[in-house]
Amino acid sequence: MEIHDIIKNRWSPVAFSDEPVNDDLLDSLFEAARWAPSSYNAQPWKFMVGRKGEETYALLFDLLKDMNKRWAHTAPVLVLSMAEMVPPGRSSENRFAFHDTGMAVGNLLAQATNVGLQVHQMGGYDVEGARSALQLPPNMEPAAMMAIGFKGDPSNLPDEVAAREERPRERKGLEEFVFSKKF
Ligand SMILES: Cc1cc2nc3c(=O)[nH]c(=O)nc-3n(C[C@H](O)[C@H](O)[C@H](O)COP(=O)(O)O)c2cc1C
């Protein structure tokens, strides 16, 4: 079944090149995120951006679990997505804050693929550490870390890490998650 190339060609690589990502190109990813739909148009997503050589990059990198540190150091940009769980001026939680942040990240991924960038998301990081290191307010929930950059050479990585680039990408069949009767 045919799907769009932008969806088909996105994947989560471990090798990034040294080539820096210029500001305009990086901003185009956030511009794509900006236009995501959201419940009540609350736009609950926030992004903390670190470029290699900057303090924020070092801070984000330090939060990563060792398994991710092994390859993520090759990425020129690290970004932490966050969800504002309670909208300003409201007292109740926005049940869709995480959902909508994920949709904004989906837009970001599509734009990245479209401009030749690759993004690898990571849940393997110290969430509590992120709250304190970034001085997040209580209503800001860290979501996923992202390594962003251009394609690199996996042979610069340890063999067992580089081997991940060769792993076949697998997915469940539609029959496992598309339903038309009672669950
Ligand atoms: C929220 C989230 C957390 C993830 N955490 C990690 C992680 O900590 N380390 C890692 O190497 N990959 C991580 N991944 C990448 C997934 O393993 C990957 O998306 C999945 O295996 C499908 O592969 P593909 O993105 O190449 O299609 C994460 C992806 C998402 C969306």
Side-chain angles (χ1 to χ4, degrees):
M1 210 181 303
E2 265 314 296
I3 56 170
H4 199 284
D5 280 350
I6 281 180
I7 297 169
K8 201 163 53 185
N9 296 335
R10 183 215 59 83
W11 65 304
S12 301
V14 289
F16 293 82
S17 83
D18 292 340
E19 189 179 343
V21 181
N22 74 50
D23 287 344
D24 282 350
L25 204 59
L26 190 60
D27 279 350
S28 79
L29 272 52
F30 300 119
E31 180 66 17
R34 181 171 169 243
W35 287 102
S38 61
S39 175
Y40 284 100
N41 202 16
Q43 304 163 62
W45 46 82
K46 310 276 176 202
F47 298 99
M48 184 67 68
V49 183
R51 291 174 166 283
K52 200 173 257 186
E54 292 175 357
E55 194 184 338
T56 305
Y57 184 100
L59 196 150
L60 294 175
F61 185 79
D62 280 348
L63 294 169
L64 295 177
K65 303 266 183 207
D66 286 346
M67 63 168 187
N68 288 324
K69 281 184 173 162
R70 299 193 74 197
W71 56 266
H73 64 86
T74 63
V77 181
L78 289 175
V79 173
L80 177 66
S81 65
M82 295 164 285
E84 186 177 50
M85 303 307 290
V86 180
R90 298 264 300 277
S91 54
S92 55
E93 189 164 292
N94 173 6
R95 200 169 92 72
F96 297 101
F98 239 61
H99 172 274
D100 294 349
T101 298
M103 289 212 290
V105 170
N107 273 16
L108 183 155
L109 296 177
Q111 173 67 8
T113 308
N114 190 44
V115 297
L117 284 168
Q118 47 185 36
V119 181
H120 190 148
Q121 297 180 78
M122 292 166 279
Y125 69 94
D126 178 359
V127 174
E128 294 313 314
R131 286 187 216 285
S132 60
L134 301 168
Q135 298 178 356
L136 302 184
N139 68 334
M140 203 60 68
E141 190 61 34
M145 197 80 85
M146 291 181 270
I148 302 176
F150 293 100
K151 185 172 168 38
D153 181 357
S155 67
N156 295 329
L157 291 165
D159 286 350
E160 68 281 10
V161 182
R164 291 181 53 176
E165 300 283 58
E166 306 300 325
R167 282 204 305 223
R169 296 177 61 229
E170 289 168 352
R171 288 299 191 268
K172 295 174 182 173
L174 296 194
E175 70 288 353
E176 290 184 76
F177 64 93
V178 181
F179 307 99
S180 56
K181 294 187 187 137
K182 286 180 182 172
F183 195 85

